[in-house]
């Protein structure tokens, strides 16, 4: 864990180092991911099963890749009513938010009498990646599948790893609740490759979405172009801006909540209160003595964690814009000015009673969010990842008379004669008809 103070002489150098500190780990997976994707592309199911059995210590064959309806029904019957109820609370809230997000079509007639419009249509097929290496993520099933279903996607395929052959029944219950149409027991880069290129068992999809570790994130980056992707939603991140008026234990747990996802996760506290910085550092150390997933959280905190003491909250907001974190928590008395200043963050959690974990499960907005500073140019998963726009133009004779001559001039200026003539012959016909 790094302790930094914005007034220290080498602050800018150390801060830049912090921003880049996971780049070398990410670069390390590029080569292996390229090899896995090439093998799946050329050898299909055979390579898919080979990698799955090697990395997840399973024994899948092409015949057992797909999870059957009977397996899904049996697993769902194993889930307690309390958990099903909690799943329903989350699903209903996620569904409402994403329904409200759906855009409407647009159509109007302009001054030249031309009808102009734009309409949205759902993708035919999507592939959802649901992580499962170090933890099971029923919540990520809901976050992936519900917007796809709300958007009207017909085929919703899902891949999830089953380390040591174990699959959490709640993952299957969530898939059933959210309208997933097919489920495969594969994970990692090989799952992304299978959904992008297709194999005998898994038909290719139009877009691959969902979060995952560095291998999954890199695989999505590499298949982009063959298929669409959402964002690079890799190892989790949080920045907490906290003033002196906080419970240090609550802040420490917020930091550890992201750290416990992955040794490559990153948690950063920014505070104008040096006393709070010390107290949170101590509280993190104390929690790490007892947390069940302390090994992962400690690896993340030790390697990538940071506590930065700043002059004021305005400086804190400036640093957040440079970090562009996946999650930002504002644990401060008057959050509005900082909220207004922050432009780059995947999701913002406002108020001392709104920890990030609420957004992971039951807030409503999506928890699949851009990481590794990609929040500078991309957004979290939404219905917009499952629909696309088609524009249309409808013009009758009078409208063509008004706007056609300009098109002819521009086409001639570009030296594109067929373009110019395709308009000109119609204009000539109209003139002849006069
Ligand atoms: N950004 C987001 O929106 C978001 C949301 C939820 C979870 N997450 C992140 O998802 C990730 C989940 O990670 P996970 O590991 O638990 O599950 P995962 O499913 O992402 O990864 C497991 C797979 O990684 C592959 N793998 C592991 N070691 C490998 C190796 N040496 N070579 C090649 N492939 C290898 C295996 O195929 C394995 O099945 C975490 O990083 C978590 O922070 C991100
Ligand atoms: N915090 C993760 C996104 O980085 C999402 C998640 C799912 N379950 C718990 N947390
Ligand atoms: Zn989380």
């Amino acid at each position: 864990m790094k302790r930094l103070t914005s007034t220290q002489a080498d602050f800018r150098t150390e801060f830049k180092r912090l921003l880049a500190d996971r780049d070398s780990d990410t670069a390390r997976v590029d080569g292996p991911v390229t090899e896995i994707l090439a093998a799946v592309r050329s050898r299909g199911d055979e390579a898919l099963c080979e990698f799955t059995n090697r990395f997840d210590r399973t024994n899948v064959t092409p015949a057992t890749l797909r999870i059957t309806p009977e397996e899904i029904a049996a697993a769902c019957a194993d889930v307690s009513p309390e958990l099903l109820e909690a799943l329903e609370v989350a699903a209903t809230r996620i569904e409402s938010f994403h329904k409200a997000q759906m855009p409407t079509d647009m159509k109007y007639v302009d001054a030249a009498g031309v009808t102009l419009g734009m309409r949205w249509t759902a993708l035919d097929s999507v592939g959802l990646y649901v992580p499962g290496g170090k933890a099971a993520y029923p919540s990520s099933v809901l976050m992936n599948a519900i917007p796809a279903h709300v958007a009207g996607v017909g085929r919703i395929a899902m891949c999830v790893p089953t380390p040591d052959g174990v699959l959490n029944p709640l993952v299957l219950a969530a898939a059933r609740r959210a309208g997933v149409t097919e489920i495969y027991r594969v994970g990692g880069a090989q799952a992304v490759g299978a959904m992008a290129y297709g194999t005998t068992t898994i038909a290719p999809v139009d877009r691959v979405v969902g979060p995952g570790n560095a291998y999954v994130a890199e695989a999505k980056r590499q298949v982009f172009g063959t298929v669409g992707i959402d964002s690079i939603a890799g190892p989790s991140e949080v920045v907490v801006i906290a003033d002196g008026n906080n419970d240090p234990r609550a802040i420490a747990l917020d930091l550890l909540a992201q750290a416990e996802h992955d040794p490559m996760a990153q948690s950063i506290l920014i505070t104008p209160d040096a006393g709070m910085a010390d107290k949170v550092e101590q509280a993190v150390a104390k929690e790490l003595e007892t947390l069940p997933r302390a090994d992962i959280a400690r690896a993340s905190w030790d390697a990538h964690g940071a506590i930065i003491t700043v002059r004021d909250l305005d400086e804190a907001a400036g640093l957040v814009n440079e970090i562009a974190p996946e999650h930002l928590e504002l644990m401060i008395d008057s959050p509005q000015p900082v909220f207004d200043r922050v432009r780059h963050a995947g999701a913002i959690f406002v108020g001392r009673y709104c920890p990030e974990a609420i957004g992971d499960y039951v807030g409503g907005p999506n928890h699949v969010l851009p990481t590794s500073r990609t929040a500078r140019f991309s957004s979290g998963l939404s219905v917009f990842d499952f629909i696309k726009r088609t524009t249309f133009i409808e013009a009758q004779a009078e409208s063509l008379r008004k706007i056609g001559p300009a098109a002819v001039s521009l086409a001639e200026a570009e030296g594109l004669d067929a373009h110019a003539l395709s308009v000109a012959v119609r204009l000539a016909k109209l003139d002849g008809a006069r």
Side-chain angles (χ1 to χ4, degrees), residues 137 236 257-258 261 327 356 360-361:
Y137 288 96
S236 302
Q258 296 315 298
H261 278 296
H327 306 108
E356 187 278 342
D360 281 347
Y361 299 107

Side-chain angles (χ1 to χ4, degrees), residues 32-33 36-37 40-41 44 47-56 129 159 161 186-197 199 202 215-216 219:
V33 166
I36 292 169
L37 292 177
V40 171
R41 191 170 201 171
L48 184 59
C49 293
E50 226 172 78
F51 289 122
T52 300
N53 293 334
R54 185 190 311 167
F55 296 130
D56 295 338
Y129 187 82
C159 284
V186 291
Q190 57 278 13
V192 173
M195 293 191 280
Y197 305 129
T199 69
I202 306 181
Y215 293 94
V216 173

Side-chain angles (χ1 to χ4, degrees), residues 252-332:
L253 288 168
D254 294 354
L255 297 168
L256 292 173
Q258 296 315 298
E260 74 176 347
H261 278 296
D262 193 319
M264 278 185 68
Q266 182 164 58
S267 306
I268 298 175
L269 167 66
I270 306 182
T271 178
D273 188 304
M276 180 57 62
D278 292 341
K279 285 182 204 151
V280 172
E281 182 178 353
Q282 288 155 16
V284 167
K286 192 157 176 231
E287 292 304 324
L288 282 173
E289 284 168 17
T290 52
L291 271 182
R293 290 172 69 83
D295 52 338
I296 298 176
R298 189 188 303 278
S300 156
W301 182 243
D302 287 353
H304 310 298
I307 297 181
I308 306 175
T309 311
V310 288
R311 293 181 192 86
D312 53 32
L313 292 175
D314 192 57
E315 188 176 30
L319 295 181
V320 167
N321 280 330
E322 288 186 70
I323 300 169
E326 179 193 11
H327 306 108
L328 170 66
E329 282 189 5
L330 299 182
M331 299 292 149
I332 50 184

Side-chain angles (χ1 to χ4, degrees), residues 97-98 101 143-144 147-148 151 207 230 366 368 379-387:
F97 181 83
H98 289 86
Q101 207 174 47
M143 295 289 179
N144 268 314
R207 175 170 276 201
D230 52 336
N366 214 284
V368 180
S379 318
L381 194 66
S382 72
V383 295
F384 293 98
D385 292 294
F386 300 104
I387 53 181

